[in-house]
Amino acid sequence: MAARKKSRSRRSDGSKRVGSGIIRGILASLFMLGCVGLAGICIYAAYLNGIVEKKFAGTHWKLPAKVYASPMKLYAGKHQSLASVVNQLKRQGYRSADNAKHPGSFDKQSKQLTVNVRGFDFPDGKRPPRKVQLTFDSGAIQSFKTVDKKKSLSLIRLDAPIIGSIYPNKGADRILVKLSNVPPMLPAGLITVEDKSFMTNIGVSIKGILRAAWADIKAGHIVEGGSTLSQQLVKNMFLTNRQTISRKIKGALMAILLNVHHSKPEILQAYINEAYLGQDGNHSIRGFGLASYYYFNTPLNELDPAQIALLVAMVKGPSYYSPRTHPKRAMQRRNLVLNKFHKAGFLKTSAWKHAKASPLGVSTKENRRTSSYPDFVDLVRQQLHGQYTQAQLTGQGLRIFTTLNPVIQRHAQSDVKTQLKAIAKHHHDIKAGSLQSAAVVTSVEGGRVLALVGGRRSGYAGYNRALNVHRTVGSVIKPVTYLTAMEHPSKYSVITPLNDSPLKVKEKNGKVWKPHNYSRRSHGTAVPLYYALEHSYNLASSRLALKLGIPKVIKTLRKLGFSGHPPAVPSVALGAVNMSPFQVAQIYNTIASGGYYKKLTAIKSVTDRQGKPLSAHSLQIKQVAGSGPVYLDTWMMQRVARYGTGASMYRVLPKTMRFAGKTGTTNKLRDSWFAGFSGNRVISVWVGKDNNHIAHLTGATGALHIWSHIMSDSQPQGIVSAPPANIQQIPLAMTFRPNKPNRPNLFSNGSGGTRNKCPSATLVPFIRGYVPSGVSPCETDILANDRQRHSGNGSAVPGARSNPGSHHNSGSRETHHGDNKSLLDRIF
C-alpha cells in the first residue's frame, strides 16, 4: 500500500511539473506576444504621433487666396444716396442698432446715418474700428464727421468685402480665426453640445465609448460615434468617414496623442477652424470663420446667440440640418441647442426666449460674400497667372485686393438679366431665355475693371462670355478706321467727303467682296466723313479703310490694345475680327483716355495672409495715338450717340450729358454690340446666342438697350474734356442730308470769304493748321447759342471756351486738303 501511494505521489508530482511547465510556456509566449504587441503598438503610436505632429506644426491648413472688392469710400460731397449706403452696409452684414454702439452696426435716422465701421487690415496699413456720422441731402453726402472722440477724419473706407476665393478644382475653403477673437459662447456651446468632458478627458471618453458600443451592439452595426471633440478633429483632419472598428481605434489613439502634445485651447481653436459645415459646389465649407460669412454674411465675432446655436447645431450633420434646404429641421435642431445653452447657464432666460423666437436669418446666395462674383474672379485668376504659382494661390492664404465696385457690379448683373427679358418680350421672333449677353465696365481713369458680367445667370460659375466669347464685332470697329484717317490731317478732316456708292473688291484668293449698307441703299459720292460714321455707312467706311490701307487700320487697332492678329482683308473694315467684350472694352478705354493705353486691370495689390504686401499693380501708361486725332474721333462718336445709330440711348440717359459710342451688328443679325463711354466710364456689351444662330437684333435694338441701363446705373459723368491745344474749332452749319442737294452756309461762296449768318451753327473741330480751304465760318455767338439750344448736351464740341473768331482769319485761309478742295462743293 505504501509503495502504491508513493508511486501515485511520484506520478502526481510529475504531472504537476509537466502542467506547470506548459503554463509557464504559455505565459512566456503570451508575455512575448504582449511585448511584441506592445512594441507594435508603440511603433504604430510613434507613426501616428509623427502624422499628428507634422499636421500641427507650422501652417496647419492650405488656405485658398481670398479676393476682396474695392471698399466703399464715404466723404463729404460724394454723390451717394442714403439708401444706397444703407443697402451696401446691409450687404456687408452690418446691423441696425440704436446709436451704433458696436463695430459692424449702423443707426439710420431721417437724413442722418451713424456707422460704426469695422476695423480692417488694408494693404496700406491696419485701420481700427471708427464711428462716423453722415448727413445726406439731394442724393449726396452733405457732411461727414467722426463721433468717437478719436482723431478727426475727412474720409473713411468700409471694410473690403470678400467676393470669392481661388481654390483648386476640388478642396476646402476656410477663414482662420483665433480662439481669443471668437464669441465665448461658441467654444462653450461646442463643449456643452458635443463633448461635456472635453476639459478633463484624455482625448477619448470611456463613458461615451461604452454608450456608443452598447448602441452598436443593439443595432447590430455601427450607429453611434461617442466621439469627443478631439476625435472629431482627428477624423476631419486625418481620417475618412468610414465607420469601421479599425478607424475608430486609430482615431482614438490619435486623439490621445493630440492631447499629450497640445493644450485644450489649441485643440479647440483647431476644431473651430476645421469643422465641416457645408458644401458650396465642389468646395467644402471648413471652419466657423467661413461658415459665418457663408450662412450669415457676417464676421464670426458679430454673430448673435441664435446664429451661433445654428452653426453648432449643424456640426452633427451639415447636409441633414442645412438651413437652406431643410429649414424646419434646422430650426428644431437649433432650438434644441439653445435649450442646452440655457440649461448650461450661459444664456439667460430673456436672451434664450428671444433667440428661440428669431428666424434662421440665413442670407441668400446673392447676398453672401464667399463666392459672390465668379465671373470677376475668373478675370482675377487670369491676370494673376504667371505671377504666382497655383500652389501659392490655392494654399498660402494670399489676400487679393481688386478694383471691383460691388454696387456697379450688382446693377450690371441686374440690367443684363432684366433687359434681356425685356428685349425678348418686345421681339416676338426671339424665344424667351434664348439670348445671352456679356458686359464689361471700366473706369476711364486708371483702366480699372469695375464690373464684369459673363452671362444672364450672374453669380453662378460657368462659361464666362465677357472673357471667352469671341465674335465678329461689326461696326464697333469703325472708330478705329476713322481714327486712322484723323491721324492724316493733310488728307482727312471730319468733313472730308466720302464715296458711299456700291463697291466691289477682288481679293487675292479670287473672290469678290461686295459690301452693302444695312438699308441696302447707297447715299451718293460726297457724304461728309463725320456723317458716314454717325449713321454707320458701310460703303463709305469700306472705301475709307481701303484708301488708308487695311494694314494701317490693323496697326491702329493693335496700338489701341488688341493683341490679336486679324487677316489683312477688306472685310476687316466692317468688323470681320473676332473679339471678346473685354478686348473691345480695352480698345474703347484707350480712346476714352485721349489716346493713352493702359492695360485694363482687376487687381490693385496682393498681400500674404499676415497682410504683408507682396506686389502692387502700378499703373503703366503709354500714349499710342495723338490727342488731336482722338479728340476728333470722340467728337464724331458723340454725334453717333446724339444723332446717329446710338441716339436711342437718350431714352434712358440724361439728355444734358454727353456720351460717345458705336453700335455693331454682324451678318444675318447674329451678334449685337455696343461700346462707348462717358467722362468716367467705359462699357462694352455683347448680345447673341451661344450657338451663334440668328439673334434678330441690331446693335441699337439689343446691346445698346442694355448698355444704356448699365451706364445709367454706373454713376456716369458727361464728357467735358477741353479740346487739346492742337485743335481749332470753327462754327459751321451742319445740315447735310443724303441725296438731297442743298447748300447751307458752310463754305465760302468765292466772294472773299465773307462770314455767313447761320444761327444753328455747331463748333466743328479740326487739327490746327489743317482747316479745309473754302470753309466759311458762321457769324454767331456759337457758345451761347449751343448752351441755349442743347443745355450742354453734346451738340457742340465739349469744353469749348474760346471766341470762335480767334481761331480763324477770314482773310487768310489755310490751303491744305488738296484732295478735298475739288470736292468741297460736291458735299452739298
Side-chain angles (χ1 to χ4, degrees), residues 686-702:
W686 166 84
V687 176
K689 294 185 177 181
D690 285 341
N691 58 14
N692 204 24
H693 287 179
I694 297 173
H696 301 286
L697 294 170
T698 66
T701 58

Side-chain angles (χ1 to χ4, degrees), residues 349-371:
T349 301
S350 58
W352 167 60
K353 291 181 178 179
H354 177 76
K356 288 189 71 173
S358 300
L360 292 176
V362 178
S363 62
T364 63
K365 180 177 177 62
E366 290 75 19
N367 286 344
R368 73 172 190 254
R369 289 190 280 160
T370 55
S371 55

Side-chain angles (χ1 to χ4, degrees), residues 658-688:
R658 298 185 180 108
F659 301 90
K662 187 68 189 73
T663 50
T665 308
T666 61
N667 289 341
K668 297 184 180 180
L669 305 182
R670 296 180 189 274
D671 301 282
S672 169
W673 289 88
F674 193 86
F677 49 92
S678 65
N680 61 334
R681 302 283 182 256
V682 179
I683 303 175
S684 72
V685 175
W686 166 84
V687 176

Side-chain angles (χ1 to χ4, degrees), residues 576-797:
V577 182
N578 289 339
M579 294 188 197
S580 69
F582 188 81
Q583 290 173 321
V584 172
Q586 175 70 78
I587 292 164
Y588 274 73
N589 191 276
T590 304
I591 297 173
S593 301
Y596 288 87
Y597 167 81
K598 62 269 186 188
K599 185 177 180 181
L600 295 182
T601 182
I603 302 168
K604 290 181 178 177
S605 59
V606 180
T607 73
D608 65 14
R609 56 186 289 192
Q610 282 81 31
K612 180 182 177 181
L614 297 179
S615 64
H617 290 250
S618 58
L619 184 62
Q620 296 181 350
I621 301 176
K622 178 182 179 182
Q623 186 171 9
V624 296
S627 58
V630 171
Y631 186 87
L632 300 178
D633 203 34
T634 300
W635 181 84
M636 288 187 284
M637 281 194 281
Q638 288 185 59
R639 293 192 64 86
V640 172
R642 180 67 63 174
Y643 309 112
T645 57
S648 62
M649 71 171 65
Y650 283 104
R651 298 173 186 171
V652 177
L653 296 168
K655 292 181 174 58
T656 55
M657 284 189 181
R658 298 185 180 108
F659 301 90
K662 187 68 189 73
T663 50
T665 308
T666 61
N667 289 341
K668 297 184 180 180
L669 305 182
R670 296 180 189 274
D671 301 282
S672 169
W673 289 88
F674 193 86
F677 49 92
S678 65
N680 61 334
R681 302 283 182 256
V682 179
I683 303 175
S684 72
V685 175
W686 166 84
V687 176
K689 294 185 177 181
D690 285 341
N691 58 14
N692 204 24
H693 287 179
I694 297 173
H696 301 286
L697 294 170
T698 66
T701 58
L704 176 57
H705 195 61
I706 297 174
W707 184 95
S708 303
H709 284 83
I710 295 177
M711 180 61 81
S712 177
D713 291 330
S714 298
Q715 302 169 338
Q717 299 169 6
I719 300 173
V720 293
S721 59
N726 63 339
I727 288 294
Q728 179 175 349
Q729 299 181 100
I730 307 295
L732 303 175
M734 309 289 279
T735 57
F736 173 78
R737 295 293 181 270
N739 299 324
K740 291 184 179 180
N742 56 64
R743 177 180 285 276
N745 294 324
L746 181 57
F747 303 108
S748 170
N749 58 13
S751 59
T754 305
R755 292 180 182 271
N756 300 284
K757 297 288 185 179
C758 43
S760 60
T762 299
L763 282 175
V764 179
F766 300 91
I767 298 293
R768 186 176 296 280
Y770 289 94
V771 178
S773 60
V775 171
S776 177
C778 295
E779 190 174 82
T780 180
D781 184 356
I782 184 67
L783 297 181
N785 192 33
D786 274 328
R787 291 193 188 101
Q788 182 179 358
R789 291 186 296 107
H790 303 290
S791 301
N793 65 8
S795 173
V797 177

Side-chain angles (χ1 to χ4, degrees), residues 9 41 53-54 115 128 247 342 351 364 599 725 732:
S9 175
I41 291 172
E53 282 304 281
K54 183 178 180 181
V115 187
R247 188 196 67 75
H342 179 52
T364 63
K599 185 177 180 181
L732 303 175

Side-chain angles (χ1 to χ4, degrees), residues 160-193:
I162 297 173
I163 60 170
S165 300
I166 297 179
Y167 24 46
N169 293 332
K170 290 186 178 180
D173 194 7
R174 57 171 57 80
I175 294 176
L176 293 183
V177 295
K178 292 182 179 179
L179 186 62
S180 58
N181 293 333
V182 306
M185 188 176 291
L186 175 59
L190 285 170
I191 293 172
T192 299
V193 176

Side-chain angles (χ1 to χ4, degrees), residues 321-334:
Y321 294 109
S322 170
R324 290 195 174 102
T325 55
H326 305 292
K328 290 184 179 180
R329 195 182 292 165
M331 178 73 80
Q332 291 174 348
R333 174 71 181 164
R334 184 204 69 174

